[in-house]
Amino acid sequence: MESNRDFFWRLTRYYSLYTIGFIAFLCVLAILEHEGMPRSWIGYLFLFVTIGLYAAIGVVCRTSDVPEYYVAGRRVPPLFNGMATAADWISAATFISLAGGLYLQGFDGLAYILGWTGGYCLVALLIAPYLRKFGQYTIADFLAARYPGKFGGTPIRILAVAATILISFTYVVAQIYGVGLITSRFTGIDFSIGIFLGLASILVCSFLGGMRAITWTQVAQYIIILFAYLIPVVWLSAKHTTVPVPPVAYGAVLPKLNAIEHKLEDDPKEQEIRKIFQARADELERKLQNLPRSWEEGRLEAQRHIDEVKRDTHASLAEIKAASRALSSYPKSEEEAERRWSDARAANLVRAQPPVSQTEPFPGRGNGKERESSDTKRNNFLALVFCLMLGTAALPHILMRYYTTPTVSSARKSVFWTLFFIMLIYLSVPALTVLVKYDIYTSLVGSSYSHLPDWVYYWANIDKVNPLVSINDLNHDGLVQLGEISMDGDIIVLAMPEIAGLPYFISGLVAAGGLAAALSTADGLLLTISNALSHDIYYKVVDPSASTQKRVTISKLLLLVVALLAAYAASLKPGDILSMVGAAFSLAGSTLFPALVLGVFWKRANQAGAVAGIVCGFLMCVYYMLHTNPTFGGNASGQWFHIAPISAGVFGVPAGIAAMVIVSLLTPPPDEATIALIDHIRTP
């Protein structure tokens, strides 16, 4: 007991000195910027100093000891485990995209905050203490011991590993995408190269020291995340109000923002822009109704246009290239045309609507279609909260963190500290969204196209194929209307210091925080995947006699392979960060939540039932995603009760629970040893 207390105070001293050093580093950069240091140097210093720090921790904490590599020696104090778990949790989706989701979706974006926070309550009540009482290293360890059968726990172990890999891989691709976004913006290198540079820093920690190195790195990363998120929001609060306390201050800005929203809704210029987008949507609808003839006519027209341009002796090289690009980018088949035109029609219909209210929940409470639209929004809000809560309670890389505490009591305290440290960020997210939106509505909307701020050009040039921000003078009046602004939600936080006119070292700080958030989660996810393959498959199934050194070596090699595959997948830009993360949560809830919770609280559950639950939950979730998501060849018309694909878990979880209960009741009950195990883990 004394040694644990000494260890706690030693960590406290180390991280106190680290925090003081980081504050001094910020002060030095602020002075250097004031003295004229180039902005690019500030960006490089923030990125490479912090990455070097994480690498140094990884080198110092390198280990090949199995308990240290897999569970950090089970001696992480609750407060520090809470900080590490919070860093593991505050991923690129939270740091980079959550405020963007609130910016674009208004009240509906609160589903992410409610769902993710509520999920931790489920973790504390239903899962974390029991996993710690069980011990071992992975989620598959628990499920294999809880659901033995004719072939031992191997069938359920293999299914659990498959689910863990699929969930974690989907999630880690989103994190590495965020790494590439930040690195490319603040170093000027290509997006794909930025991904692999960021990957190098991820591997230093997880490759050398496993959970031990990741834990102490994540504590350091959380401190940077906290500074990076709170300092700019406090600054914005002081700029727009007299109260530098974001959760209090933004209430004074909301009425002003609502007044601007109502004004923009009735503005003739804005209505003109909305009519342009409605006309585009109607034209695309006409094309969709006339398929395949419209596709063939469009292809012939594009070919005829390029022939005419080439025959024109006065045509410039730029005109010829533009015509060639138009032909090469034209849909190659009728099916591709239908998919692309449907997506474009949906995007134009969204932009043909009045600005989204930041405060009104589920707008449209009239009669007929308006009431139906409001009900659909409310149902999707509740469905998303449900999926995020249950998905949070079943995420393997989060649950693994509670194996690292010394005792069951420490695991419970860790969940409390995790919620506390997450709360410090989450309370500021709505404030940041409202303050940034107010800045854009008052400074950018109505300004002249000849005097657009520099940040617009910076962010537009990162990805020229699919610009992160785009402003086009659609009605040719020389002024910026809100309807002419298209912004990707993923840049709201990263571009916020530039939007608000804050010093550039704050931009570097935010970038460092976003990088820390993405790296901390990616570390945990990659380790979870490699551990599942090396421990649960290689050691438990393929070669139970493998030496300690061999097990850790295999884990490190698999981690490297998985990291490279994830980086390649992220370089393909498969979708926005929030949508990828949402899919991971629906999959986690559908596949693992029923087996984990019923495994603790229902003694009658057996292996056959668990297998049926995992398989049915997974198939239902994946089927619904594929059937309704246009990205995968599905169609929104196939939605059940108008539930969006991101909330597929609302069907997958009940299907998994029903299958598990029915099959368990139709097959023999668990043996006495299994019942004894359940009694053991449920005993305080």
Side-chain angles (χ1 to χ4, degrees), residues 129-163:
Y130 307 104
L131 283 180
R132 180 60 192 88
K133 184 68 179 291
F134 171 71
Q136 294 299 318
Y137 299 122
T138 65
I139 305 305
D141 275 338
F142 169 72
L143 293 176
R146 169 60 183 86
Y147 298 110
K150 182 179 178 181
F151 301 100
T154 300
I156 198 77
R157 183 184 294 277
I158 292 173
L159 284 175
V161 169

Side-chain angles (χ1 to χ4, degrees), residues 38 107 136 200 206 249 260 290 297 361 399 439 441 449 575-576 674 679:
F107 183 92
Q136 294 299 318
S206 46
I260 296 173
N290 291 327
E297 289 175 351
L399 296 180
D439 236 315
Y441 281 21
Y449 270 91
D576 67 276
T674 303
D679 290 335

Side-chain angles (χ1 to χ4, degrees), residues 106-406:
F107 183 92
D108 291 355
L110 290 173
Y112 292 95
I113 293 179
L114 294 175
W116 285 337
T117 307
Y120 266 97
C121 297
L122 296 182
V123 170
L125 293 172
L126 303 180
I127 299 176
Y130 307 104
L131 283 180
R132 180 60 192 88
K133 184 68 179 291
F134 171 71
Q136 294 299 318
Y137 299 122
T138 65
I139 305 305
D141 275 338
F142 169 72
L143 293 176
R146 169 60 183 86
Y147 298 110
K150 182 179 178 181
F151 301 100
T154 300
I156 198 77
R157 183 184 294 277
I158 292 173
L159 284 175
V161 169
T164 296
I165 292 171
L166 183 62
I167 295 161
S168 300
F169 191 83
T170 305
Y171 206 160
V172 80
V173 167
Q175 309 314 310
I176 296 178
Y177 177 86
V179 170
L181 189 67
I182 296 166
T183 310
S184 61
R185 166 63 184 90
F186 288 93
T187 62
I189 60 177
D190 182 75
F191 175 83
S192 299
I193 298 173
I195 283 176
F196 286 95
L197 280 179
L199 186 67
S201 63
I202 296 173
L203 290 175
V204 170
C205 294
S206 46
F207 188 81
L208 293 176
M211 184 62 84
R212 177 185 176 183
I214 287 173
T215 297
W216 307 126
T217 304
Q218 285 174 338
V219 175
Q221 287 167 331
Y222 177 79
I223 293 169
I224 292 178
I225 291 169
L226 191 64
F227 277 96
Y229 215 92
L230 294 189
I231 288 178
V233 187
V234 169
W235 202 314
L236 270 177
S237 300
K239 174 184 175 182
H240 291 297
T241 71
T242 56
V243 184
V245 182
V248 177
Y250 86 102
V253 177
L254 269 177
K256 300 177 186 178
L257 184 61
N258 286 334
I260 296 173
E261 288 171 347
H262 290 306
K263 181 180 177 182
L264 292 173
E265 186 174 351
D266 300 328
D267 187 278
K269 294 282 189 181
E270 294 290 347
Q271 292 175 350
E272 183 182 353
I273 299 301
R274 293 199 286 271
K275 287 178 181 178
I276 292 173
F277 285 112
Q278 184 63 54
R280 291 180 178 180
D282 294 341
E283 174 62 18
L284 288 164
E285 177 64 22
R286 185 192 65 77
K287 288 184 176 182
L288 289 166
Q289 294 293 334
N290 291 327
L291 283 171
R293 189 178 68 182
S294 58
W295 170 70
E296 293 171 351
E297 289 175 351
R299 182 168 55 83
L300 291 174
E301 176 59 32
Q303 183 62 59
R304 187 161 47 244
H305 177 63
I306 192 172
D307 291 341
E308 290 175 356
V309 171
K310 287 181 178 179
R311 284 196 299 267
D312 186 354
T313 56
H314 300 291
S316 66
L317 182 60
E319 290 174 323
I320 296 174
K321 285 184 176 180
S324 299
R325 279 197 301 270
L327 179 61
S328 62
S329 63
Y330 192 79
K332 302 298 186 292
S333 65
E334 178 189 342
E335 292 75 17
E336 183 184 350
E338 182 178 13
R339 184 171 64 253
R340 286 171 55 179
W341 290 347
S342 295
D343 291 346
R345 177 181 174 275
N348 279 287
L349 283 175
V350 169
R351 297 188 69 178
Q353 301 302 313
V356 176
S357 171
Q358 196 62 38
T359 56
E360 184 182 356
F362 326 124
R365 291 197 172 279
N367 295 314
K369 288 187 176 180
E370 284 192 358
R371 179 57 184 263
E372 183 181 337
S373 172
S374 176
D375 290 343
T376 298
K377 290 175 182 177
R378 183 197 63 231
N379 293 342
N380 272 287
F381 182 91
L382 295 174
L384 183 56
V385 170
F386 173 85
C387 292
L388 294 176
M389 284 181 66
L390 271 59
T392 299
L395 277 181
H397 77 287
I398 293 296
L399 296 180
M400 275 180 63
R401 290 231 53 92
Y402 298 104
Y403 281 129
T404 65
T405 58

Side-chain angles (χ1 to χ4, degrees), residues 452-498:
L452 288 177
D454 291 341
W455 65 266
V456 173
Y457 301 107
Y458 291 153
W459 287 97
N461 287 327
I462 288 178
D463 187 347
K464 294 181 180 179
V465 179
N466 299 299
L468 296 169
V469 58
S470 174
I471 304 178
N472 297 307
D473 192 5
L474 298 177
N475 60 353
H476 307 293
D477 66 346
L479 298 176
V480 177
Q481 273 79 50
L482 178 64
E484 295 171 332
I485 303 172
S486 173
M487 290 184 67
D488 191 302
D490 290 344
I491 74 164
I492 296 298
V493 171
L494 296 176
M496 174 260 295
E498 295 159 283

Side-chain angles (χ1 to χ4, degrees), residues 45-121:
L45 277 172
F46 262 113
L47 291 181
F48 292 115
V49 167
T50 53
I51 286 175
L53 175 68
Y54 308 148
I57 295 175
V59 171
V60 170
C61 296
R62 62 189 182 278
T63 183
S64 293
D65 180 70
V66 168
E68 290 285 350
Y69 188 86
Y70 285 120
V71 290
R74 300 195 200 279
R75 59 195 182 99
V76 182
L79 184 143
F80 290 98
N81 197 51
M83 292 180 76
T85 309
D88 210 345
W89 180 249
I90 299 171
S91 61
T94 294
F95 193 97
I96 299 175
S97 300
L98 187 53
L102 283 169
Y103 181 95
L104 297 175
Q105 301 172 28
F107 183 92
D108 291 355
L110 290 173
Y112 292 95
I113 293 179
L114 294 175
W116 285 337
T117 307
Y120 266 97
C121 297

